[in-house]
Amino acid sequence: MSKKIFFSGVQPSGKPHIGNYFGAMKQFVDLQNEYDGYAFIVDYHALHSLRNPKEMSENIKNVLLDYLAIGLDPEKVTLAKQSDVSEHTELCWIFDTVITMPFLMRAHAYKDAEAKNKEIDVGTFNYPVLMAADILLYGTDIVPVGADQKQHVEIARDIAEKFNNTYGQTFKLPEHMIMKEVAVVPGTDGRKMSKSYNNTIPLFAEYEEIKKCVMGIVTDSSEGIPKNVYAIHKLVRDEKELEKIYTEKTGKYKELKELLIEDLEKFIAPLRENRKEFAKDIPKALAILKAGGEKAKKVAEAKMEEVREKIGVNIYEK
Ligand code: TYM
């Protein structure tokens, strides 16, 4: 029996943080033995916020090293970048013609941008459609993501249904996979950890950086147990142990932060070392990415043939 399929992606928009890891990337590793996986670097998605070519190239390589360093095995999971598989953007266009503007205007990301009165580029508006193409091209069963992507996976399902209703059964409806405890990993200020809030702890931070981030965690002197420290701490230490420690050290914020620094260091140090090893041979890492793109492209091409057939543009004799 063939394995089920997972697909997910990370934007090369900066350094991944522990929110990306616990919310999504860790699940890619956990699923890789049971599922046929696709872990993409979604560089075309990142274009809406990153328009510096040098930084783009660097970030792509960085996410690749991050994927390898967390333990993704390219024999089990296809590591690829979106721009190597042009079928993603092709399918995006076809989807654009079956869905409506009011449907996309309900997307949170668009509404947030609009509320901030930003000049919204069409790519930002269309972001969920490209994401639907990413997911649907591969017959995806599950999409491991953080809670902020839930609506996007729902939109992908709606688009698949809309296409299937118009042209006949073509796309499988994917499910999101969101782990309850880490659906929204909080940052150092208690809000969702996010590059745009400047409240992150980078996944491959060096010791001094970890220290700086943890010392910067916002605490309120009226609370016995510093909730922002605890919320991050429980990612890297068993909660039963933590409850005991935090009760014993009520009010001792500095000590608790120092303990968190040590626990984060224990967790991050081996990942950091792994990453340094992979970084020694960039050509080898790039060859993995290129081969992954070629493998993904074969699957995507076959699906696009079916799509072209369904919409009636395949008119040549075979
Ligand atoms: P991106 O690059 O913003 O984030 C990558 C993954 O990290 C998760 N995440 C979090 N999870 C829990 N707590 C947090 N604080 C936190 N911050 C980020 C995100 O939910 C995401 O799973 N649109 C996607 C990229 C994408 C994609 C796809 C994902 C493009 N195509 C197809 C899945 C399938 C994004 O912006 O991820």
Side-chain angles (χ1 to χ4, degrees), residues 153-264:
V153 182
E154 284 163 2
I155 291 175
R157 281 176 70 91
D158 288 348
I159 292 178
E161 276 192 308
K162 192 85 196 290
F163 186 96
N164 290 346
N165 288 338
T166 311
Y167 293 109
Q169 180 58 38
T170 310
F171 295 109
K172 197 188 273 180
L173 304 193
E175 304 273 352
H176 57 72
M177 178 190 164
I178 296 171
M179 307 302 277
K180 219 164 111 213
E181 282 83 53
V182 285
V184 183
V185 173
T188 52
D189 59 359
R191 293 187 292 172
K192 180 192 130 185
M193 187 174 286
S194 166
K195 283 161 219 157
S196 45
Y197 295 153
N198 234 333
N199 64 357
T200 66
I201 299 177
L203 178 57
F204 298 95
E206 294 289 341
Y207 184 75
E208 284 306 314
E209 200 177 3
I210 297 175
K211 209 165 145 187
K212 194 161 161 254
C213 294
V214 171
M215 284 308 173
I217 295 178
V218 178
T219 51
D220 175 342
S221 57
S222 68
E223 30 174 34
I225 287 176
K227 64 176 189 312
N228 292 341
V229 183
Y230 186 90
I232 294 173
H233 215 153
K234 74 183 167 71
L235 298 167
V236 287
R237 197 190 261 243
D238 183 73
E239 274 216 67
K240 284 219 170 66
E241 277 179 48
L242 274 189
E243 272 168 28
K244 198 163 160 268
I245 298 169
Y246 275 66
T247 311
E248 278 167 16
K249 295 191 184 293
T250 298
K252 296 183 176 158
Y253 298 172
K254 189 159 173 284
E255 277 183 46
L256 289 168
K257 282 186 171 179
E258 279 163 0
L259 185 63
L260 174 58
I261 292 168
E262 295 317 312
D263 284 344
L264 277 171

Side-chain angles (χ1 to χ4, degrees), residues 7-11 19-20 23-24 28 42 45 48 108-109 127-132 134-135 143-157 174-178 182-184 192-194:
F7 183 102
S8 199
V10 171
Q11 295 190 64
N20 298 127
F28 310 171
V42 287
H45 270 118
H48 82 97
H108 302 314
Y127 187 104
V129 189
L130 180 57
M131 186 160 157
D134 297 342
I135 296 168
V143 187
V145 280
D148 59 353
Q149 299 300 313
K150 183 167 181 262
Q151 191 191 34
H152 286 154
V153 182
E154 284 163 2
I155 291 175
R157 281 176 70 91
E175 304 273 352
H176 57 72
M177 178 190 164
I178 296 171
V182 285
V184 183
K192 180 192 130 185
M193 187 174 286
S194 166

Side-chain angles (χ1 to χ4, degrees), residues 2-21:
S2 61
K3 287 181 174 174
K4 290 199 165 188
I5 294 166
F6 85 75
F7 183 102
S8 199
V10 171
Q11 295 190 64
S13 52
K15 280 187 197 168
H17 49 71
I18 61 170
N20 298 127
Y21 177 76

Side-chain angles (χ1 to χ4, degrees), residues 101-149:
M101 299 259 297
F103 168 74
L104 281 188
M105 282 159 109
R106 294 199 295 258
H108 302 314
Y110 167 71
K111 285 206 275 195
D112 289 351
E114 207 193 22
K116 286 180 194 141
N117 261 336
K118 280 193 190 159
E119 270 200 7
I120 305 161
D121 59 275
V122 177
T124 299
F125 182 63
N126 222 17
Y127 187 104
V129 189
L130 180 57
M131 186 160 157
D134 297 342
I135 296 168
L136 298 175
L137 267 173
Y138 298 95
T140 300
D141 294 286
I142 58 162
V143 187
V145 280
D148 59 353
Q149 299 300 313

